[in-house]
Amino acid sequence: MSERLIMHIDMDAFFAAIEQRDDPSLVGKPVIIGALPGKRGVVSTCSYEARVFGIHSAMPISEAFRRCPQGVYLKPNGPAIREASHLIVETLRGISPVVEPVSVDEAYVDISGLERLIGPPDVIGRLAKQRIREATRLSSSVGIGPNRLIAKLASDAHKPDGLTIIRADQVQAFLYPMPVENMRGVGKHSAESLKRRGIHTIATLRTWSEERLIAVFGDASGRMLYRQARGIWSDHVGEHESRKSISKEHTFNEDCCDPETLRQTMLELAADVARTARREGLTGRGIRLKLRLDGFETHTRSTTLAHPTNLDDVIFKEGWRLYSTSAFCSRPVRLIGIGIFDWSAPVQLDLFDKPNERKIRLAGAKDDIVARFGKSILGIKKAK
Ligand SMILES: [Mg+2]
């Protein structure tokens, strides 16, 4: 069996680099993309010139402005981001058929077995970077390793414009000096709890047995830490696009003429669709309404949102708007259905505004409860 080779591509200061590309007067300046100063919100990306001021992603915009009032503050340019993102994925598909975009500016590519076709990993990595630059005029960093974890850490190792290749026999040496924060699933909180126990680097983490890690951090986290410290991680790269849409529908026993019943049914269907989408990590820009009237007359109506979503109330609101503005809204309904489609890379744009971020977190918490106790706990009933 040939060696597994996973490549991770991460664009350098993506949103800021797009602005500097499209407006040469911004080259060499601290460019901060995210919320605008004076508003609530955070930095999403900033140029390398802004990082000199200590500005980084997820920093409150007010703090960024305090550090660098002379910076250029801009909101993310959605259309330009989507266009570049699309070009990057297309470019990578020209190199390997197995490409998995994980966000607007990141993707995994399975390049196992391409060595005979293209060349050794460094040739493949350089080719990817060069073709992305030709297609988008943007710079990227590439990491290649035996699995996703190592590839991702490698792409981060020499940013910007980096190319880092870690062969299987180099994994231990590569991981050893790294801080525990570099592990997947280790946030600020877990990092602190690891450090309280004297674990600052992966080298120290390696000295803990699996049993001990499980005893302290619980079953799932303990196991995950044990595996990661040894560089063991998934090497599966897969497309998320096999599913074209997610939809739910309900057929009434008798044709329904009561707007309140229809509304309630659509609310429940929208919640179902949203929950499924969140479980699968999908967000869609398209909302589709399906209506079957008496006599099996079936109609669909759809709309495109400015921002992709997987939130109950957004899906419901759009679905209900499609229904109530249609020519059929006074006719008896046999079947009503709602769905989302037109996937985009997992949304980052929407995460910048706080109300939505809260909604997304709340939705996630609700999903956990439903997964554990069933729908009835939230008073979600099956439509009748
Ligand atoms: Mg990036």
Side-chain angles (χ1 to χ4, degrees), residues 313-377:
D313 58 344
V314 178
I315 297 170
F316 167 73
K317 218 180 77 203
E318 286 304 315
W320 190 250
R321 195 181 57 76
L322 286 171
Y323 169 71
S324 51
T325 57
S326 74
F328 324 111
C329 70
S330 54
R331 307 232 337 239
V333 174
R334 163 54 55 109
L335 172 153
I336 190 163
I338 187 150
I340 61 172
F341 60 100
D342 190 6
W343 311 132
S344 66
V347 219
Q348 296 197 323
L349 294 178
D350 276 358
L351 291 178
F352 305 142
D353 63 37
K354 283 282 176 204
N356 233 352
E357 193 186 299
R358 258 203 310 277
K359 264 196 242 167
I360 289 164
R361 262 206 309 273
L362 186 69
K366 233 169 68 181
D367 293 344
D368 289 346
I369 294 173
V370 170
R372 249 190 286 167
F373 303 108
K375 285 188 202 175
S376 56
I377 190 125

Side-chain angles (χ1 to χ4, degrees), residues 30-295:
V31 177
I32 298 106
I33 312 290
L36 297 179
K39 298 258 163 72
R40 279 157 61 100
V42 296
V43 175
S44 110
T45 317
C46 62
S47 68
Y48 288 90
E49 293 84 358
R51 295 182 196 195
V52 175
F53 296 88
I55 298 173
H56 55 78
S57 306
M59 174 181 276
I61 207 74
S62 52
E63 173 64 16
F65 190 70
R66 202 185 56 75
R67 287 175 188 239
C68 184
Q70 72 272 40
V72 180
Y73 290 81
L74 296 166
K75 289 207 281 188
N77 179 348
I81 289 166
R82 275 197 291 278
E83 194 209 349
S85 191
H86 178 74
L87 285 171
I88 293 160
V89 175
E90 286 307 300
T91 302
L92 293 171
R93 288 205 173 113
I95 295 174
S96 161
V98 192
V99 178
E100 179 187 327
V102 284
S103 76
V104 282
D105 81 325
E106 263 182 72
Y108 288 98
V109 184
D110 190 340
I111 55 167
S112 316
L114 289 184
E115 288 188 277
R116 286 224 325 257
L117 217 63
I118 302 175
D122 61 309
V123 172
I124 302 175
R126 260 196 299 276
L127 180 73
K129 283 164 63 74
Q130 181 202 327
R131 286 206 186 152
I132 287 174
R133 190 183 287 280
E134 283 165 6
T136 65
R137 292 187 290 125
L138 294 167
S139 144
S140 60
S141 290
V142 165
I144 297 176
N147 60 49
R148 297 168 71 104
L149 173 72
I150 304 302
K152 169 126 174 134
L153 291 171
S155 75
D156 204 38
H158 295 106
K159 266 184 155 298
D161 202 20
L163 171 60
T164 309
I165 294 142
I166 307 295
R167 291 281 191 172
D169 60 359
Q170 300 169 320
V171 166
Q172 304 308 340
F174 176 62
L175 285 178
Y176 258 50
M178 283 193 182
V180 286
E181 284 91 338
N182 280 12
M183 302 279 85
R184 305 299 101 183
V186 175
K188 217 172 139 190
H189 219 72
S190 8
E192 273 163 19
S193 107
L194 283 162
K195 285 175 182 170
R196 268 201 307 278
R197 293 171 173 86
I199 307 176
H200 293 260
T201 64
I202 296 175
T204 325
L205 185 60
R206 272 291 290 267
T207 65
W208 280 49
S209 71
E210 187 169 19
E211 292 71 30
R212 194 168 166 209
L213 285 169
I214 289 174
V216 175
F217 299 102
D219 201 57
S221 303
R223 242 180 263 281
M224 197 170 77
L225 286 169
Y226 181 83
R227 284 163 54 82
Q228 280 191 86
R230 281 151 189 80
I232 304 166
W233 203 252
S234 162
D235 59 11
H236 174 77
V237 178
E239 303 265 350
H240 281 312
E241 290 178 284
S242 48
R243 213 187 212 296
K244 289 271 176 268
S245 66
I246 296 171
S247 57
K248 305 279 174 189
E249 52 187 39
H250 177 77
T251 306
F252 295 98
N253 293 332
E254 279 166 307
D255 294 356
C256 176
C257 306
D258 174 32
E260 189 44 40
T261 306
L262 277 173
R263 202 178 153 275
Q264 192 56 37
T265 306
M266 195 189 281
L267 262 171
E268 291 165 16
L269 294 170
D272 256 352
V273 166
R275 195 164 38 243
T276 306
R278 289 193 295 266
R279 197 177 54 223
E280 301 196 16
L282 294 167
T283 55
R285 262 197 300 276
I287 306 283
R288 186 183 292 121
L289 168 79
K290 179 176 171 187
L291 276 181
R292 182 164 296 151
L293 308 171
D294 45 347

Side-chain angles (χ1 to χ4, degrees), residues 10-14 105-106 159:
D10 186 19
M11 301 302 291
D12 300 321
F14 190 50
D105 81 325
E106 263 182 72
K159 266 184 155 298

